[in-house]
Amino acid sequence: MTIARAYLDYNASAPLLAEALEAMMSAPDRSADPSSVHQDGRAARRIVEAARRDVAALAGAKPEHVVFTSGATEAAATLLTPDWRMGRAPLRMSRLYVAASDHPCVLNGGRFDRSAFGVIGVGRDGVLDLAALDAELASHDRDAGLPLVAVHAANNETGVIQPVAKIAAVVKAHGGVLIVDAVQAAGRIPIDISNNYGDFLILSSHKIGGPKGAGAIVGLSDLMMPVPLVVGGGQEKGHRGGTENVAAIAGFGAAAREAAADLSAADGIAGRRDAVEAAILDVAPDAVIHSRQADRLCNTTFFSVPGMKAETAQIAFDLAGISLSAGSACSSGKVGPSHVLKAMGVEDDLGALRVSIGAATTKEEIERFAAALAAHVARGSRGECAA
Ligand code: PLP
């Protein structure tokens, strides 16, 4: 008998929603080019535009300010550039400021030269150091160009929620432009670009139950835009060349609709997340649940058990039919701490495990997780793996 696997890795990729699959399958013409003027093309265009309205609604934006991309990584690579346009006039962003705990697609600085971006630290709780951001922006040389700031709304490893409205106020006070990576926040906490939530949002379809390979840049306006990364046939009003992936965009739109409606599920998910954490502490009372005291997403638990090597534990969970992530980085065969924990100043040589759940996660799956953790710890896997 095959036992169904327990999927506890929503922050890596959320399971495809039935509504998203249905939208992809029923896109009436999946083969036509939405730029074609014939009826088939226009049918494909209608699908893309309906999805644009759904994605805009999730983010509190106007549909005409949504640019579809192949995912959040491409959205970040497009936005993180010194070269912008205000209407037709060139506009320069002379320096980029990112958070030390940002996702690598932001942390690598996009099209900025290494010498032209600064990294703002986070506190032990994982929250961006607002005073440091303020000080950096105060010393920014405005004559060289505008400051561009990019920060995540919620962290993919710890689930820590950043005070985006406060960050936006600091950036605005210094005349900067703020890009918010809302990939993990969308569908879990309210995001509203019309309400002091930055100038641009980055979204990813597959983190909210849509298909992989679709994402978006959402702007407060489209007057000021980055010089495109992908130049082609003028699609997406010239902001992103290449024929739109109609089926994936249809699925993204459906997932965005569900995500906007699903915020009410947060309390139930938080209850199950608390059950995960209670189980961890029951099995290993000395376990550390990272950023437990911070404002966190309802679905994410990032934890370390002293003496337990995260990668070994992840394999044990996998063999027990449970999918979760080890947040530790592994370079040259050595297990190192995740860059997020490192940024928080947390010593965590053996790595941490991430459990990330969703509305469909069951009590039974959490019990299976708890039993697998107990079995791993009972096997003496702490000392054994610590070498
Ligand atoms: N930003 C955050 C916070 C993420 O968690 C991820 C994916 O893990 C990304 C960006 C990249 O998303 P995509 O897979 O759509 O490129």
Side-chain angles (χ1 to χ4, degrees):
M1 189 180 83
T2 3
I3 303 169
R5 290 185 64 84
Y7 185 79
L8 307 179
D9 205 11
Y10 277 59
N11 288 11
S13 197
L16 188 67
L17 291 171
E19 291 81 357
L21 181 62
E22 164 70 21
M24 291 165 76
M25 300 300 286
S26 63
D29 192 321
R30 271 163 281 142
S31 56
D33 181 335
S35 298
S36 296
V37 292
H38 48 63
Q39 286 194 22
D40 296 322
R42 293 202 309 273
R45 171 58 53 199
R46 279 195 292 278
I47 293 167
V48 171
E49 296 314 315
R52 201 184 305 277
R53 287 192 291 278
D54 289 328
V55 170
L58 173 66
K62 292 191 175 153
E64 59 268 33
H65 299 156
V66 172
V67 176
F68 286 118
T69 63
S70 66
T73 298
E74 187 196 316
T78 304
L79 286 165
L80 303 190
T81 176
D83 300 314
W84 287 62
R85 286 192 198 118
M86 178 70 92
R88 289 172 167 232
L91 178 71
R92 186 145 185 93
M93 306 284 167
S94 55
R95 195 164 174 79
L96 172 69
Y97 302 86
V98 298
S101 55
D102 270 329
H103 187 272
C105 73
V106 170
L107 206 48
N108 72 20
R111 287 180 273 171
F112 277 87
D113 191 79
R114 275 261 151 215
S115 61
F117 74 91
V119 179
I120 312 293
V122 297
R124 230 191 135 73
D125 54 359
V127 175
L128 187 81
D129 184 342
L130 277 174
L133 176 67
D134 191 39
E136 283 281 344
L137 294 183
S139 62
H140 178 87
D141 174 10
R142 287 292 303 270
D143 293 340
L146 297 180
L148 183 65
V149 178
V151 69
H152 55 288
N155 190 269
N156 49 305
E157 292 189 7
T158 58
V160 166
I161 297 169
Q162 298 295 340
V164 174
K166 287 185 184 161
I167 295 170
V170 171
V171 174
K172 205 170 175 181
H174 292 286
V177 174
L178 177 61
I179 294 161
V180 176
D181 171 357
V183 164
Q184 297 290 349
R188 298 188 179 132
I189 54 172
I191 51 169
D192 183 359
I193 197 168
S194 71
N195 190 17
N196 204 19
Y197 211 81
D199 301 287
F200 293 91
L201 299 183
I202 294 172
L203 296 176
S204 175
S205 158
H206 73 108
K207 307 288 183 174
I208 59 169
K212 290 158 194 63
I217 293 170
V218 180
L220 197 48
S221 95
D222 59 359
L223 187 61
M224 179 181 65
M225 289 298 286
V227 167
L229 174 69
V230 183
V231 184
Q235 291 89 350
E236 297 294 287
K237 291 197 201 141
H239 298 306
R240 196 274 185 180
T243 303
E244 292 92 340
N245 183 347
V246 180
I249 288 172
F252 183 17
R257 224 168 31 239
E258 295 305 309
D262 246 27
L263 285 176
S264 55
D267 283 351
I269 298 173
R272 288 191 284 280
R273 188 266 322 263
D274 292 346
V276 166
E277 297 183 358
I280 293 167
L281 294 171
D282 193 37
V283 170
D286 54 348
V288 178
I289 294 168
H290 300 291
S291 297
R292 199 171 188 207
Q293 307 309 327
D295 193 13
R296 279 185 303 154
L297 291 177
C298 58
N299 78 318
T300 308
T301 297
F302 198 38
F303 73 101
S304 305
V305 176
M308 187 177 86
K309 191 171 168 182
E311 262 129 334
T312 314
Q314 185 193 22
I315 295 166
F317 278 112
D318 195 25
L319 292 173
I322 297 162
S323 299
L324 43 69
S325 277
S328 61
C330 187
S331 63
S332 24
K334 275 185 88 181
V335 178
S338 81
H339 79 281
V340 176
L341 292 184
K342 205 169 168 186
M344 289 160 53
V346 174
E347 297 284 331
D348 188 54
D349 290 346
L350 298 176
L353 288 173
R354 181 185 66 192
V355 175
S356 52
I357 61 175
T361 305
T362 62
K363 192 167 162 265
E364 190 267 332
E365 287 175 316
I366 293 169
E367 285 165 2
R368 279 178 57 199
F369 159 78
L373 179 64
H376 187 62
V377 168
R379 274 196 298 272
S381 316
R382 290 195 188 199
E384 213 173 86
C385 304

